[in-house]
Amino acid sequence: MDPFTLSVSIAGLASLSIELIKLTKKYVDGVGSSGREEVEFLHVQLEALRDPLEELAVVLRSDAICSSTFSSNSGLYIAQQHCMRQLQSLLGKLQDEPKSALNGTQESNRPDKNLQSRTRSFFKQLTWPFKSDEIKAICVSLQHKVLSQSHNEVMVALQRQEHNIKALSESIPENIDDVLQQIQGTRELISINTSTLDSMSSKLNELQIKSDITYFKELLQWVSPGGFQQRHEAMRALRVEGTNLNLLCDKKIKSWISAISKRRQVCCFGKPGAGKSVFCSAMIDHLRYTHEQHTEILVCSIYFEYQCRKEQTIEHVIRSILRQALEKARGVPDGVARAYQDGGQGLKLEEILDLVEQTLGLFKETFMCFDALDECNDMTQLLRVLCRFPTTRVFVTGRCRIRDHVRRAYPKPILRRIKAHKDDIRLFLVNQLEKDSWQRPGLMRQELRDEILQKLVDTANGLFLLPALHITNILSENTIKKRKKALSTLSDCLEGAYDATMNRIKAQNKADAEQALDILAWVYYAQQPLSVTELRHALAIEIGSEEFDEDDLPSTSFISSCLGLVECDRSQGQVKLVHFTHFTLYEYFHKVAKDVLGIGHDILAQKCLTYLSYEETAVPLQGAWEGGDVRHDSEPHGSLELNDDTHGAVVNFNWESHLAALNEEYPFFIYASTQWGNHARGAGVPSQKLIDLALEYLLMDDSNLEPSIANFLLYTDILYCPSQDCDRCLQRAPSVSWVAPRLHIVAFFGLRTIWSVVRKQLPDLDPCALDGRGMSALIYACFSEDDDMMGLFQHEVYGDWSYIKFRMTVCNMAVTKTSLEFI
């Protein structure tokens, strides 16, 4: 077979792969979670197979090997035939399955269903006709049979052609100049085709990385522990079909979505509660639907949240963008693979940005959508960073103040104000009323329904949140008379709507009301978002008790007592975090928390200390290594250095797994270990009960303090050691000699009152003593950045004679933390 004919066959393979890509894309969107991983795996493999096949067809048509022939016994011919059979078999199976699903759909659907509903039902019935092992075998067969055989056969043909030309040059010496020119031209062509084949080989290497699912998942986890899909799913669940069309149909925004507009930035701003997050989720889904056929177009989404401001740093955001790009890319860039293989520890922001730039280079166009940009720690720096990516189109939402920031960062952004359209509000309310009629029949009359719609739409003031709160308050009543009364007393502002909800919470039975207030207090005052299991344990704590009683755990539906003010993530298979349904609740409770909630930081600190003092949690870690072998070793990793009894020996022990098991059994333990001091500090002047509990905790035996101190050292900012060039210095095994640095911890949290009490109770404790890493309590205190605490150290501990030493320590820590605020 001549190369041209074979190239036509190879092109046919590429076309077949494109058909399969389209089919697998439908499966990815339609099948359930049970088969989704296998579908996505095959989809990625087929996309990666397409390009090498197209490039191989081009090489076979080149002049360099036009005179070569490939027999029926040729490896390339056999591989082509094998690939054709595999792809045709795949296509047949994938086409047969939708037919059967469609027949079932047509039989089950009623005639009055519209086309969109039938299509959605059809794809939901798709089942994946392959097993995981079968898919992997097919992909390995396609890679090895076609791509490796193709590379070898074509290279042999090119070398044979070059050999023939050399022989020709020897037989025609009189025309040597012409022949040399031919040889040079052929060599250049061979060089070009060899570069093409090298490119194919590089793509195969990238594909190989992605084809190893375990390796690829570990790489993604290293890049970023997770994306923002949970938040996106939550916003999507709030959307009603047919809403948000007003802005999506805007002429300039449509041009931006189509990647036609030269203006690459869109800024949508509005009041709190105007529906910005819901519109952002609609924009993300619309972009993905519009460009779903274009594998070279990437859509990234970032949702900023008020309660996660500490965690959502610039580095966190950039890493999330990198992860989303890698998930969509056909391969893993060499730079990313090398960084991961080298360990990737301590990567600087600039290095991460270089990796993002490499990965985005795999795409023709990138859309980045940022919701609630005003909740970003440093939105100015983020906007400046995004300017590094020239192929990026940026969409942001936020409060009105983001408009000026975007204008300063970009010359001519598209600016649009977001406000709830009356038609959208009506659609949302109708949807809620229909759900209520189905769930609670007999509690609605047509005239009441019309009055609710009319009044809530007219009083919305351009907000989605306000009518959403009102309809929840109205429909929560259990009689028509009470619903009419709730409608007549509606407030025209968010604060009034929240007041009405709080009144309803307090009007519940005593147990539900108290539980709801406790939940609201924990969600509002928590130093970091709590998971459902953490919050359940927190609610079960009885201050001053000696052991944890599982019978005090609330039901798994405990959040319902908050009447819609609190929700948990709708994620599947991941830790579910509890948070307010809207960030304006944080602003509301900032004003009224002391009067409405009844408890504050002081009570929460007491609960944390009670949890740390339980018999179940105050268990010596040394119990995990008793009876272990003794060995002499200078490495502390995975070991515990003892004192005089073992003469500097090191005992093997399994303390890390022991601590992990303890944290798993008592999920609130990590939070209590690392945040009790922050709650105590937030209380201002601590109560006597708090001081007593803190003393009881700090005066425990060293061995009983081990688990909570180990958590403290592992999960707080103290991991940043000035002696380690600001890299994370994870000390995996605290030695007995410093396992309970009581004054160090009190200094870290800046607890001046408790410091003075501990100093009186334990006068033998040396505040200048160093821990196992050579860090004094003063260095711990520098992390608190509390001027009064620093002054206490200067006068009480160091005195005037050591003032210079004091200042040098503080300056060293300031440089380490790149903050001079407390000097």
Side-chain angles (χ1 to χ4, degrees):
M1 180 181 290
D2 64 274
F4 182 79
T5 304
L6 188 57
S7 72
V8 174
S9 300
I10 297 295
L13 290 179
S15 299
L16 261 179
S17 67
I18 292 173
E19 287 297 316
L20 284 165
I21 287 170
K22 293 179 180 178
L23 276 175
T24 53
K25 174 61 178 172
K26 294 178 181 178
Y27 273 95
V28 169
D29 295 337
V31 300
S33 59
S34 60
R36 190 179 187 89
E37 185 172 311
E38 287 81 5
V39 186
E40 292 178 339
F41 176 68
L42 180 58
H43 184 74
V44 170
Q45 300 291 315
L46 289 169
E47 283 188 331
L49 179 66
R50 180 186 60 187
D51 283 352
L53 287 174
E54 291 175 346
E55 292 181 9
L56 179 59
V58 173
V59 172
L60 289 171
R61 292 179 184 139
S62 65
D63 295 336
I65 56 174
C66 62
S67 61
S68 301
T69 58
F70 298 90
S71 67
S72 58
N73 294 326
S74 164
L76 182 57
Y77 177 79
I78 293 172
Q80 180 268 330
Q81 292 295 315
H82 174 82
C83 184
M84 180 66 75
R85 288 193 298 271
Q86 290 276 20
L87 293 180
Q88 287 176 341
S89 174
L90 280 172
L91 185 62
K93 282 191 177 184
L94 293 176
Q95 287 177 336
D96 289 343
E97 178 63 30
K99 289 178 182 177
S100 61
L102 184 58
N103 291 335
T105 303
Q106 291 173 344
E107 292 173 4
S108 61
N109 283 343
R110 293 194 298 269
D112 60 340
K113 292 284 186 180
N114 58 32
L115 179 60
Q116 184 178 12
S117 300
R118 291 199 302 273
T119 303
R120 186 183 300 111
S121 176
F122 159 60
F123 283 119
K124 284 183 178 178
Q125 294 187 44
L126 288 178
T127 57
W128 186 235
F130 299 102
K131 296 180 180 179
S132 177
D133 293 342
E134 185 180 358
I135 286 300
K136 291 181 180 178
I138 290 172
C139 293
V140 170
S141 175
L142 289 175
Q143 290 178 37
H144 288 281
K145 283 284 186 182
V146 179
L147 300 179
S148 60
Q149 291 276 10
S150 303
H151 184 279
N152 295 336
E153 289 274 338
V154 174
M155 286 301 297
V156 169
L158 290 172
Q159 291 169 358
R160 189 187 307 122
Q161 183 72 0
E162 184 178 15
H163 177 75
N164 292 338
I165 292 174
K166 287 182 178 179
L168 178 64
S169 67
E170 294 173 359
S171 64
I172 315 176
E174 61 274 12
N175 297 326
I176 190 67
D177 291 338
D178 295 337
V179 174
L180 286 174
Q181 289 180 2
Q182 293 179 23
I183 292 173
Q184 184 62 29
T186 303
R187 282 179 172 170
E188 291 176 359
L189 187 57
I190 290 173
S191 176
I192 293 172
N193 287 320
T194 302
S195 298
T196 303
L197 291 172
D198 288 341
S199 174
M200 291 167 57
S201 178
S202 175
K203 289 183 178 180
L204 285 176
N205 291 333
E206 294 175 355
L207 170 62
Q208 188 63 35
I209 293 175
K210 235 183 170 179
S211 65
D212 187 339
I213 295 179
T214 302
Y215 174 84
F216 187 60
K217 284 184 176 179
E218 291 174 351
L219 184 146
L220 291 179
Q221 189 68 16
W222 164 75
V223 170
S224 176
F228 295 83
Q229 191 61 26
Q230 298 175 15
R231 182 66 175 166
H232 181 64
E233 294 295 337
M235 291 300 102
R236 177 188 286 165
L238 295 175
R239 283 201 331 255
V240 176
E241 190 174 352
T243 58
N244 297 295
L245 298 179
N246 189 41
L247 276 173
L248 289 175
C249 293
D250 181 278
K251 184 177 179 180
K252 290 185 178 180
I253 292 182
K254 284 178 67 177
S255 177
W256 178 85
I257 292 172
S258 303
I260 298 173
S261 174
K262 294 181 179 179
R263 299 163 74 178
R264 306 187 69 85
Q265 296 81 31
V266 175
C267 173
C268 292
F269 55 92
K271 297 178 181 178
K276 300 182 292 296
S277 296
V278 174
F279 175 65
C280 185
S281 72
M283 173 62 78
I284 293 166
D285 285 342
H286 186 68
L287 285 169
R288 288 173 177 167
Y289 175 79
T290 302
H291 301 292
E292 66 176 345
Q293 300 298 330
H294 303 90
T295 57
E296 70 278 9
I297 294 181
L298 170 68
V299 180
C300 294
S301 60
I302 302 291
Y303 286 84
F304 291 102
E305 295 184 72
Y306 177 87
Q307 63 270 29
C308 300
R309 295 190 71 174
K310 293 181 181 178
E311 293 81 13
Q312 290 177 344
T313 61
I314 298 294
E315 179 178 335
H316 172 82
V317 172
I318 297 302
R319 281 182 173 272
S320 179
I321 291 172
L322 177 58
R323 176 179 176 129
Q324 294 178 62
L326 289 171
E327 288 173 337
K328 180 72 181 288
R330 293 180 180 174
V332 177
D334 291 339
V336 177
R338 281 196 302 271
Y340 174 61
Q341 291 164 2
D342 292 342
Q345 298 299 324
L347 283 180
K348 297 179 181 178
L349 179 61
E350 192 65 27
E351 294 172 321
I352 301 172
L353 288 171
D354 289 339
L355 298 181
V356 173
E357 202 163 1
Q358 291 177 34
T359 309
L360 294 185
L362 302 176
F363 299 93
K364 180 181 177 182
E365 194 84 51
T366 300
F367 291 87
M368 292 188 187
C369 301
F370 299 89
D371 178 54
L373 182 66
D374 49 311
E375 300 298 347
C376 176
N377 276 330
D378 192 345
M379 77 170 99
T380 302
Q381 183 186 0
L382 176 60
L383 292 172
R384 186 166 57 247
V385 164
L386 294 178
C387 294
R388 288 186 49 156
F389 312 127
T391 61
T392 298
R393 292 180 176 270
V394 178
F395 173 84
V396 300
T397 66
R399 302 194 192 191
C400 297
R401 67 188 183 92
I402 71 167
R403 175 177 43 185
D404 295 332
H405 289 270
V406 174
R407 278 175 172 167
R408 285 194 292 269
Y410 305 113
K412 292 183 178 180
I414 299 172
L415 300 174
R416 291 293 182 270
R417 182 182 295 276
I418 292 181
K419 62 179 181 178
H421 197 273
K422 287 189 175 183
D423 292 340
D424 289 349
I425 296 173
R426 183 176 292 276
L427 277 174
F428 170 76
L429 294 174
V430 168
N431 180 267
Q432 297 298 107
L433 289 167
E434 288 178 353
K435 286 181 182 179
D436 175 72
S437 297
W438 178 72
Q439 294 171 351
R440 307 174 73 183
L443 291 179
M444 185 60 61
R445 293 175 182 165
Q446 185 62 43
E447 59 270 20
L448 177 59
R449 182 180 186 275
D450 294 341
E451 188 178 355
I452 289 173
L453 287 173
Q454 183 66 38
K455 188 168 184 178
L456 266 58
V457 170
D458 291 344
T459 59
N461 296 326
L463 303 180
F464 258 119
L465 183 58
L466 189 59
L469 290 170
H470 286 331
I471 195 67
T472 301
N473 286 335
I474 293 171
L475 299 183
S476 66
E477 301 294 351
N478 56 10
T479 67
I480 293 177
K481 183 177 181 179
K482 289 181 179 178
R483 289 184 171 189
K484 288 181 176 179
K485 183 178 180 181
L487 178 63
S488 65
T489 58
L490 291 181
S491 172
D492 59 355
C493 65
L494 284 177
E495 187 171 338
Y498 287 142
D499 286 337
T501 304
M502 290 302 300
N503 290 333
R504 287 174 46 233
I505 288 175
K506 292 179 179 180
Q508 298 178 108
N509 64 70
K510 184 179 179 181
D512 286 343
E514 290 178 352
Q515 180 175 271
L517 292 176
D518 282 348
I519 294 171
L520 292 171
W522 274 113
V523 174
Y524 174 65
Y525 288 114
Q527 300 300 296
Q528 63 191 42
L530 293 168
S531 68
V532 172
T533 53
E534 286 175 327
L535 184 52
R536 288 185 71 214
H537 272 243
L539 295 173
I541 299 171
E542 184 179 345
I543 295 175
S545 57
E546 295 182 355
E547 59 183 22
F548 183 75
D549 190 348
E550 291 189 355
D551 292 343
D552 283 329
L553 288 171
S555 72
T556 53
S557 60
F558 65 101
I559 291 178
S560 60
S561 62
C562 295
L563 302 184
L565 296 186
V566 171
E567 65 180 1
C568 66
D569 295 324
R570 295 176 172 84
S571 59
Q572 298 294 326
Q574 299 180 21
V575 175
K576 296 185 178 182
L577 301 179
V578 182
H579 51 79
F580 287 134
T581 51
H582 199 267
F583 69 89
T584 51
L585 276 162
Y586 289 96
E587 299 171 344
Y588 170 74
F589 282 115
H590 184 69
K591 299 177 182 177
V592 303
K594 291 183 179 179
D595 300 326
V596 173
L597 298 180
I599 62 175
H601 282 296
D602 196 293
I603 297 296
L604 303 189
Q606 293 180 42
K607 290 196 172 190
C608 287
L609 289 167
T610 299
Y611 200 83
L612 295 177
S613 302
Y614 282 147
E615 294 180 359
E616 298 91 338
T617 56
V619 179
L621 285 180
Q622 295 178 25
W625 55 264
E626 284 177 356
D629 297 329
V630 178
R631 64 180 177 84
H632 289 272
D633 194 347
S634 59
E635 293 293 331
H637 188 84
S639 59
L640 187 66
E641 185 177 353
L642 302 181
N643 294 323
D644 298 335
D645 295 338
T646 56
H647 306 289
V650 175
V651 177
N652 290 330
F653 72 112
N654 196 20
W655 76 271
E656 198 169 18
S657 60
H658 181 72
L659 182 63
L662 190 62
N663 288 331
E664 184 176 357
E665 186 175 0
Y666 298 96
F668 189 65
F669 192 43
I670 293 177
Y671 182 91
S673 303
T674 58
Q675 303 299 338
W676 74 267
N678 286 326
H679 285 299
R681 185 180 180 183
V685 179
S687 65
Q688 187 59 48
K689 181 66 174 177
L690 174 55
I691 294 173
D692 293 341
L693 286 172
L695 273 178
E696 181 182 338
Y697 166 68
L698 294 169
L699 294 178
M700 286 196 300
D701 292 338
D702 285 2
S703 59
N704 297 112
L705 275 174
E706 284 176 358
S708 57
I709 300 300
N711 272 338
F712 168 80
L713 293 171
L714 288 171
Y715 294 101
T716 61
D717 285 341
I718 206 66
L719 293 176
Y720 288 101
C721 298
S723 60
Q724 300 295 328
D725 298 327
C726 298
D727 288 336
R728 285 190 179 274
C729 175
L730 184 57
Q731 299 295 325
R732 292 197 171 275
S735 71
V736 172
S737 60
W738 62 280
V739 72
R742 296 166 174 82
L743 290 179
H744 291 65
I745 295 173
V746 175
F748 175 83
F749 289 119
L751 305 177
R752 298 185 300 276
T753 303
I754 295 176
W755 166 278
S756 300
V757 175
V758 172
R759 290 274 283 152
K760 291 179 182 178
Q761 293 286 335
L762 300 173
D764 293 337
L765 283 182
D766 182 6
C768 298
L770 304 180
D771 65 16
R773 290 169 292 179
M775 296 173 65
S776 67
L778 172 58
I779 294 179
Y780 280 65
C782 290
F783 285 91
S784 71
E785 301 186 16
D786 186 294
D787 292 337
D788 292 335
M789 192 74 198
M790 304 300 290
L792 184 150
F793 261 97
Q794 178 185 337
H795 299 294
E796 179 184 339
V797 180
Y798 286 92
D800 296 334
W801 67 270
S802 189
Y803 179 75
I804 296 177
K805 180 180 178 182
F806 169 80
R807 296 301 293 177
M808 288 179 65
T809 303
V810 177
C811 289
N812 180 46
M813 282 299 299
V815 173
T816 300
K817 297 190 65 178
T818 63
S819 171
L820 299 174
E821 296 175 356
F822 50 83
I823 294 184

